[in-house]
Amino acid sequence: MKRFATALVVLACLGLSACSGDDVDTSSDPVEVEVGKAFSWNGFTVDDGWTLEGVERSVNGDTVTTPNVKGTITNTLDEDRAAIFEMVFSADSDPVATISCSAATMVKDQSQQFECPGLSATMPDDYDAVVVQEFVRDDGSSSS
């Protein structure tokens, strides 16, 4: 439970300045956030109180715990757009879990629930940072 609170705190601390006043972060650069704390990224704001929980799922007869993030997100830009991003959990700068997040298309100042089901990730046992970044599609190719 401590690691969840730590990650949420990191997400929030980085996002607090972007969420206050009229200074909304419209950059798509990665931003470190604290679990449960408000943050701003790419013209979207996420409200305080978002959650990270482990969800037990059955996979091939085994039980695994996957991360699940839920919260409220708002589009702060003048264009209609959907929120699509990743949350990367890391320990000592090494990624330990990456989950994809999304919310349907919103008009300016519209808020709605978003969810990051983390179906392809295992709940990290330990992490010291959470970064929100652009969704990166894995096309299956590798450069060797």
Side-chain angles (χ1 to χ4, degrees), residues 88-91 93-98:
V88 180
F89 297 80
S90 61
S93 300
D94 292 324
V96 293
T98 300

Side-chain angles (χ1 to χ4, degrees), residues 1-122:
M1 194 64 165
K2 181 181 176 186
R3 63 184 173 267
F4 298 136
T6 301
L8 289 175
V9 171
V10 171
L11 289 174
C13 288
L14 292 174
L16 283 178
S17 62
C19 292
S20 62
D22 294 331
D23 297 327
V24 174
D25 186 358
T26 57
S27 170
S28 61
D29 291 342
V31 60
E32 190 170 345
V33 298
E34 216 176 302
V35 176
K37 302 293 184 177
F39 68 91
S40 177
W41 175 81
N42 193 21
F44 292 101
T45 58
V46 172
D47 293 346
D48 270 334
W50 61 274
T51 61
L52 168 65
E53 298 176 350
V55 176
E56 288 189 6
R57 303 181 193 277
S58 179
V59 177
N60 297 326
D62 293 326
T63 300
V64 296
T65 303
T66 62
N68 191 62
V69 172
K70 291 182 183 179
T72 302
I73 192 166
T74 302
N75 176 18
T76 62
L77 298 184
D78 287 328
E79 59 191 65
D80 297 2
R81 62 203 188 107
I84 302 172
F85 57 96
E86 292 180 330
M87 286 190 173
V88 180
F89 297 80
S90 61
D92 298 326
S93 300
D94 292 324
V96 293
T98 300
I99 58 176
S100 301
C101 304
S102 64
T105 301
M106 297 172 277
V107 298
K108 180 180 171 67
D109 297 327
Q110 180 180 2
S111 298
Q112 65 178 271
Q113 295 296 303
F114 74 94
E115 186 165 5
C116 317
L119 298 175
S120 63
T122 301

